[in-house]
């Protein structure tokens, strides 16, 4: 038994020889009425049991994921001169925001097998169980989600964006768009060697509404009738105020 335990520790030791020590420029992001996006600096170091740096060199892969949400994707086609919905696919869970930054080209930093295991790439971060039998190309719906959210900055793949100095210190920045969803943003850091994960670290960045935004959000969830009446009152008051101002300007 001792011999088996010693052998196990011998093979397990290299897996724990390098670990991530992480830092964040901010652990929480506050969404206010004038929030127009934010930038988070992610930095850290590689902690080693010995000062010897092994070969081949390390790579760093960082993934930041917003809250998962179910999603319905519809296809539109033009029929008789009118655009109508024809087919739809239910996606079980798609991140509201997802960013991947790497110190090398993605496929060099992480093998396909490791990507499948940890679900790091954008397509594998989206969970879709199945599609209706009449939809032949369900994968096209997932690609459409990725394309649209990439265009508006909610999905990002930033290859060679992680600086790795002396195989020890790493840093990168992640741009958060203005249309963030409130919730916990899971942040994962992978150390890889020849595409294989040798160490993994996880933390959470909190994104919360504050001030007036927080109050309105809470009111809309807890007292929807009052929220609706308040919204109607604000709309009527704004309309009346604009009409009065326009009439005064015309008379002047």
């Amino acid at each position: 038994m001792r011999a088996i335990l010693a052998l196990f520790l011998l093979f397990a030791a290299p897996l724990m020889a390098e670990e991530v020590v992480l830092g964040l420029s901010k652990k929480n992001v506050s969404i206010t009425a004038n929030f127009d996006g934010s930038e988070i600096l992610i930095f850290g170091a590689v902690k080693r049991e010995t000062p010897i740096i092994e070969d081949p060199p390390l790579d760093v892969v960082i993934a930041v994921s917003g809250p998962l949400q179910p999603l319905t994707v519809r296809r539109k086609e033009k029929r008789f001169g009118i655009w109508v919905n024809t087919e739809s696919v239910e996606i079980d869970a798609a991140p509201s925001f997802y960013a991947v930054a790497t110190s090398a080209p993605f496929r060099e930093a992480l093998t396909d097998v490791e990507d499948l295991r940890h679900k790091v790439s954008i397509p594998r971060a989206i969970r879709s169980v199945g599609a209706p039998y009449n939809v032949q190309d369900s994968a096209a719906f997932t690609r459409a989600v990725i394309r649209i959210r990439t265009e508006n900055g909610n999905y990002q793949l930033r290859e060679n964006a992680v600086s790795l100095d002396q195989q020890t210190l790493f840093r990168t920045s992640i741009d958060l768009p203005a249309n963030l969803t409130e919730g916990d943003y899971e942040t994962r850091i992978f150390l890889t060697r020849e595409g294989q994960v040798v160490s993994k670290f996880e933390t959470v960045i909190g994104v919360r509404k504050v001030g007036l935004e927080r109050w309105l959000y809470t009111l809309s969830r807890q007292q929807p009738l009052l929220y609706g009446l308040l919204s109607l009152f604000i709309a009527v008051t704004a309309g009346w105020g604009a009409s009065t101002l326009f009439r005064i300007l015309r008379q002047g």
Side-chain angles (χ1 to χ4, degrees), residues 14 17-18 46 48 50-59 164 166-168 192-196 198:
E18 295 168 313
V46 180
R48 294 183 171 87
T50 65
I52 299 175
I53 299 177
E54 299 181 21
D55 283 327
L58 283 173
D59 280 308
L164 182 58
Q166 303 298 318
Q167 287 288 291
T168 301
T192 68
R193 179 173 280 110
E194 293 189 310
Q196 304 295 319
V198 298

Side-chain angles (χ1 to χ4, degrees), residues 56-61 102-115 157 159-160 190-197:
L58 283 173
D59 280 308
V60 178
V61 179
T102 63
S103 61
F106 186 86
R107 277 294 164 239
E108 292 182 15
L110 197 69
T111 65
D112 189 63
V113 173
E114 291 286 56
D115 182 24
L157 173 58
E159 297 178 295
N160 301 301
F190 300 90
L191 297 181
T192 68
R193 179 173 280 110
E194 293 189 310
Q196 304 295 319
V197 174

Side-chain angles (χ1 to χ4, degrees), residues 42-90:
I42 300 175
F43 57 92
V46 180
K47 177 184 176 183
R48 294 183 171 87
E49 295 293 334
T50 65
I52 299 175
I53 299 177
E54 299 181 21
D55 283 327
L58 283 173
D59 280 308
V60 178
V61 179
I62 298 174
V64 179
S65 175
L68 299 176
Q69 301 170 331
L71 189 65
T72 301
V73 185
R74 294 181 173 87
R75 170 179 288 160
K76 289 182 178 292
E77 292 183 2
K78 197 170 185 179
R79 295 183 178 178
F80 306 106
I82 301 174
W83 287 98
V84 297
N85 294 326
T86 55
E87 298 174 326
S88 65
V89 169
E90 299 287 339

Side-chain angles (χ1 to χ4, degrees), residues 24 49 57 63 116 134 152 157 163 171 184 186 190 199 220 228:
L24 297 170
E49 295 293 334
L116 180 62
N134 59 325
N152 61 28
L157 173 58
S163 299
R171 65 185 182 278
D184 292 332
E186 179 186 275
F190 300 90
S199 181
S220 68

Side-chain angles (χ1 to χ4, degrees), residues 35 40 53 69 79 83 103 126 128 149 194 201 205 210 230:
F35 179 77
I40 291 183
I53 299 177
Q69 301 170 331
R79 295 183 178 178
W83 287 98
S103 61
I126 299 175
S128 180
R149 293 192 171 182
E194 293 189 310
F201 181 89
I205 299 171
V210 297
L230 179 62

